[in-house]
């Protein structure tokens, strides 16, 4: 009898221990779920707060500015000019950049001409009163190769796009070290949005 009594007590105690253990596990599981849920919510809130605000779009394209580089006049004559270091022009507007080929070999350095890979280069225009065209006249400089940069800037210019719209040809004044260093002649065509060709659609 004592043995049966001991077994009965053992079973009862074991059941009580299992219930207590299960209850504890259940509470722990609920606490962990709630904690994870709260952590996820806090993390999502933290990520949302850390994300930068969306940058507003520039706006719709108002048109396209087509530019062709024609020739230069009274440019600063670099002593490094040669048949292999003729000047070229870099144009940039609204994060779009184009570069001409070197000037014609039969043209002078002070009065270079371009007829190959000189445009027309097309720039998307969003706000003519704000958009600006940047122009660089550059040249390869062999002596700068040792410094890791072979490019030498002969002159620069920044001009408001609104000053170009409606013009057919414009002389762009170049400056370097706040001094005039010649001019670049460009041809201009502005295509309003309604005149632009339809965008190419992939099949």
């Amino acid at each position: 009898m004592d043995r049966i009594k001991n077994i009965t007590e053992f079973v009862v105690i074991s059941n009580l221990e299992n219930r207590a253990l299960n209850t504890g596990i259940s509470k722990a599981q609920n606490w962990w779920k709630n904690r994870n849920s709260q952590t996820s919510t806090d993390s999502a809130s933290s990520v949302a707060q850390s994300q930068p605000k969306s940058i507003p779009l520039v706006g719709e394209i108002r048109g396209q500015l087509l530019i062709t580089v024609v020739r230069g006049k009274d440019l600063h004559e670099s002593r490094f000019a040669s048949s292999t270091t003729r000047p070229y022009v870099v144009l940039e507007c609204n994060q779009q950049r184009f570069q001409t080929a070197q000037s014609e070999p039969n043209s002078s350095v002070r009065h270079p001409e371009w007829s190959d890979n000189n445009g027309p280069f097309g720039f998307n225009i969003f706000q003519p009163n704000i958009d600006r065209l940047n122009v660089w006249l550059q040249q390869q400089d062999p002596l700068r190769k040792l410094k890791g940069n072979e490019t030498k800037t002969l002159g620069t210019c920044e001009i408001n796009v609104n000053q170009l719209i409606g013009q057919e040809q414009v002389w762009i004044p170049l400056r370097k070290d706040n001094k005039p260093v010649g001019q670049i002649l460009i041809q201009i065509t502005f295509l309003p949005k309604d005149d632009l060709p339809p965008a190419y659609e992939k099949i």
Side-chain angles (χ1 to χ4, degrees):
M1 285 295 289
D2 291 339
R3 184 176 181 184
I4 295 175
K5 181 179 179 181
N6 290 338
I7 293 174
T8 304
E9 290 177 354
F10 175 77
V11 171
V12 171
I13 293 174
S14 296
N15 288 337
L16 291 175
E17 288 178 348
N18 287 337
R19 288 181 183 178
L21 181 61
N22 291 334
T23 302
I25 292 175
S26 179
K27 288 182 178 180
Q29 287 177 339
N30 290 335
W31 174 84
W32 183 254
K33 288 179 181 179
N34 292 333
R35 181 181 180 278
N36 283 346
S37 177
Q38 183 63 33
T39 302
S40 300
T41 303
D42 293 343
S43 299
S45 176
S46 175
V47 170
Q49 292 176 359
S50 64
Q51 286 179 346
K53 295 182 179 179
S54 59
I55 300 174
L57 297 176
V58 177
E60 294 184 0
I61 296 176
R62 299 285 299 278
Q64 192 171 59
L65 188 69
L66 305 178
I67 295 180
T68 301
V69 180
V70 182
R71 62 177 182 271
K73 180 173 68 174
D74 300 327
L75 301 182
H76 172 72
E77 188 168 2
S78 173
R79 57 181 175 172
F80 304 114
S82 67
S83 59
T84 59
T85 59
R86 301 186 308 276
Y88 57 91
V89 178
V90 178
L91 305 166
E92 184 180 62
C93 180
N94 288 332
Q95 301 181 10
Q96 302 159 92
R97 177 176 290 192
F98 298 95
Q99 176 180 316
T100 69
Q102 292 185 347
S103 61
E104 295 296 323
N106 57 353
S107 62
S108 67
V109 176
R110 284 185 59 83
H111 307 286
E113 296 181 0
W114 287 269
S115 61
D116 185 28
N117 294 329
N118 61 332
F121 304 120
F123 299 93
N124 292 330
I125 302 301
F126 299 92
Q127 302 180 64
N129 293 327
I130 299 177
D131 297 345
R132 305 186 72 82
L133 174 71
N134 291 279
V135 181
W136 293 270
L137 178 68
Q138 296 185 324
Q139 180 185 65
Q140 296 297 314
D141 186 346
L143 296 184
R144 290 173 176 254
K145 187 173 184 179
L146 297 177
K147 299 180 180 180
N149 182 13
E150 299 182 46
T151 301
K152 179 178 181 179
T153 300
L154 304 179
T156 64
C157 179
E158 184 182 66
I159 187 169
N160 192 286
V161 168
N162 203 39
Q163 296 178 253
L164 304 176
I165 296 177
Q167 305 288 335
E168 293 184 1
Q169 289 189 340
V170 173
W171 283 100
I172 301 293
L174 301 176
R175 299 184 71 84
K176 183 178 182 181
D177 299 329
N178 205 28
K179 297 178 182 179
V181 288
Q183 303 177 71
I184 294 291
L185 179 65
I186 61 174
Q187 289 182 346
I188 303 165
T189 301
F190 180 71
L191 298 177
K193 178 181 177 180
D194 294 339
D195 294 340
L196 293 177
Y200 173 76
E201 296 184 359
K202 294 183 179 181
I203 300 176

